[in-house]
Structures are given as structure tokens and as C-alpha cells.
Amino acid sequence: MHMADALVSAAVGGSFWALSGGALAGCSRRLRRDEDERRVPLMGVLGAFVFAVQMVNFAIPGTGSSGHLVGTLLLSALLGPPAAVLVMGSVLLVQALFFADGGLLAFGCNLFNMGILPALVAYPLVFRPLDRRGHPAAGAILGAVAALQLGALAVVLETVLSGLTGLPFRPFLLAMLPIHLPIGLAEGLATALLLRFLRRARPELAAVRPEPAGRPLLALVLGAAVLTAGMLSWAASSRPDGLEWSVSRVAPAGADAPDGAVHRFAARLQRRTSVLPEYALPGTEPAGPAASRRGTSLSGLLGGAATLGLVAGAGWLITRGRRILRARPEA
């Protein structure tokens, strides 16, 4: 569901930058009140894991499309919604800046669709009530389906409101919602299995305010991130994802790419910051599949490391910020 800048007008993109930025600031304030930086390492390794997992697209049988897990519901269950929004914002920023995956102008939309809606709507309204009643698997599946459906609806509304593509609302909606249903089911099942495993290994993760993770759990999650990014990403499907597939089915012929000043600036900036665009080495196609796998592995490992560093740095600054501000007058 990574939206490209071509789908988003400057007005819609700017509005969602402001909306998502406000939500991110609110989540940061809630994390600052926590003042427990011992959870920051788990935030970092889970960010690296989610980055890696999002690289693994799986084919949706009978459709010609593919999808990938989002991970925000899992983050919310393990870290709480405020930390989940921060981690997802970091994942999406690394993807957009360094790998040209999702537009910079559309960053606010992508954070809203993939971070805020799952963490601040689907998690508290669907997952958490069922989890408290002893039905974590049902909560994970229904919560993930709700999150994906809300995100797909938001993509349609943001695109139609932007008015750049000429995509008709009803056909676009009827393409987006059904194709994201199996993706939501897969996300829910994966989330349920991962939560079951992690909570059995570390029962304290099932608490409302889980205890900080120990080194064995951190090493396990980091190892899973490295394995997923370095090797499992080779098996990613090359089919278009649910959004690309939906757009291709209903897009009018001859639609032009937007060419406004804001779009040109965002595209220019993204070209300058992209290290490995689309997770590939330069000249991957002519060089063959081996080079393609090398580019994918390198992208996954570098992106995971960048996400870990960004999440850990941001988390440490936020959780330590209050203490630093309190110490200033005494200096």
C-alpha cells in the first residue's frame, strides 16, 4: 500500500503530512512520559524486522497480484500503539529516502494508512478487546483485516480527492478492498503465530505494559531480521502489489504523470537520496538473477540497519528528553 507521489496532490500530501506529523508528535509525547529507555532496543530490532518483512511480497493465487505484511498490529501488541507509530514512521522514511519505495510527498498518507490507522484504530478497537478476553488469535486476524481494509479505503479516498489520476471512485474501491482482504488475512495469521511464539517464549510480553526485552529476545528478533532481509527476500514475488494491480485495472488510458513544482522537487530529492532504488543494484536486469539477489540482500541489510539506528536514536531522544530538560535548570 505504499502510495507513489503520482497519486497524491500537493494539497492532499501536505494535509496528511500535517495530520500524520501531529499524530507522531502526540505519540512521542506519550512515550516521553514513559521515561523508560530500556524498551528502545526492542523498538530498534523490531523496526529492522518489519523493514525486512515488508520486502517479502507473496503471490495472491488467482489474481496476478501480490502483497506483503505491514507489521503495525504486531508492533502495537508488543510495544504499545505510540511506539508502533514511531517505529512504522521510521520504516517508511527509510524506504522512501533510501530505496524510493513510496513517495516523499505521499509519506504522510503512507504513515496514516499503514501506521496510524492500524495502531490507533484497529488495535484499540478490534485487537485489544479480543486479546483481553483471551482470544488473541481472533483479535490478530480481525484486527489485521480491519487495518488493511481501512488502509485500502484511505488510499482510494486520498487518490480520488487528489484528482490527478482520473481513477473512478467506485471501480477503484471495488478493486482495492477485495484484493486487500487476503493480504489482511495473511497478516492476521502471521501476527497471531508470531505473538503466540513470542509470548510463550517471553510471557511478560503479554502484559499491558510489558517488561523490557532481555538479550536473548533481542538476539532472536535481530537474527530473524537478518535472515529475512538477507535470504528470504529472494523469494519475493515479482507480481504487482495490491495497489499497483488495482490502479492498472481501473486507470484511464493516457493519464499523464503530475508535473507541478512540488512533485518535481520531491522527485528530485528522492533521486538524490536513493541509494538502491527499488532495492536493486544498478544494472541488475542485464547482470542476471544472482546480481538481483545480491542487490536485494544488500538493500535488506542496509535498510534494516538504518531503520534500527533511526528507531533507536529517536526512541532514546524521546524517552530521555524529559530527563534532559529537567536537568538543564540545575546545570
Side-chain angles (χ1 to χ4, degrees), residues 270-292:
Q270 195 168 43
R271 282 196 299 270
R272 290 177 180 175
T273 60
S274 295
V275 180
L276 296 168
E278 301 298 328
Y279 309 104
L281 293 170
T284 290
E285 252 184 80
S292 176

Side-chain angles (χ1 to χ4, degrees), residues 61-233:
T63 66
S65 178
S66 69
H68 65 73
L69 306 184
V70 176
T72 308
L73 200 68
L74 177 68
L75 293 173
S76 299
L78 296 176
L79 300 169
V85 172
L86 176 67
V87 172
M88 186 54 60
S90 301
V91 170
L92 293 171
L93 187 61
V94 168
Q95 290 171 338
L97 278 178
F98 302 141
F99 303 100
D101 187 9
L104 289 179
L105 178 59
F107 174 78
C109 294
N110 287 328
L111 178 54
F112 181 81
N113 303 339
M114 300 172 66
I116 293 168
L117 287 176
L120 303 184
V121 180
Y123 174 80
L125 296 183
V126 182
F127 174 84
R128 193 66 189 147
L130 288 168
D131 188 38
R132 282 177 171 164
R133 292 184 176 91
H135 306 292
I141 293 171
L142 293 177
V145 169
L148 268 291
Q149 292 295 293
L150 286 171
L153 173 61
V155 169
V156 173
L157 293 174
E158 291 153 4
T159 302
V160 173
L161 285 173
S162 294
L164 297 179
T165 60
L167 291 169
F169 173 76
R170 190 169 181 274
F172 191 24
L173 185 68
L174 292 178
M176 283 287 287
L177 294 185
I179 200 64
H180 283 89
L181 179 59
I183 300 173
L185 290 171
E187 167 112 13
L189 181 59
T191 300
L193 292 174
L194 285 169
L195 279 178
R196 180 182 175 87
F197 170 76
L198 289 172
R199 286 176 170 180
R200 282 190 170 185
R202 296 295 301 245
E204 65 271 20
L205 291 175
V208 175
R209 291 175 60 83
E211 292 297 317
R215 289 182 180 177
L217 178 60
L218 294 176
L220 176 65
V221 177
L222 186 59
V226 171
L227 176 65
T228 303
M231 296 183 64
L232 295 184
S233 58

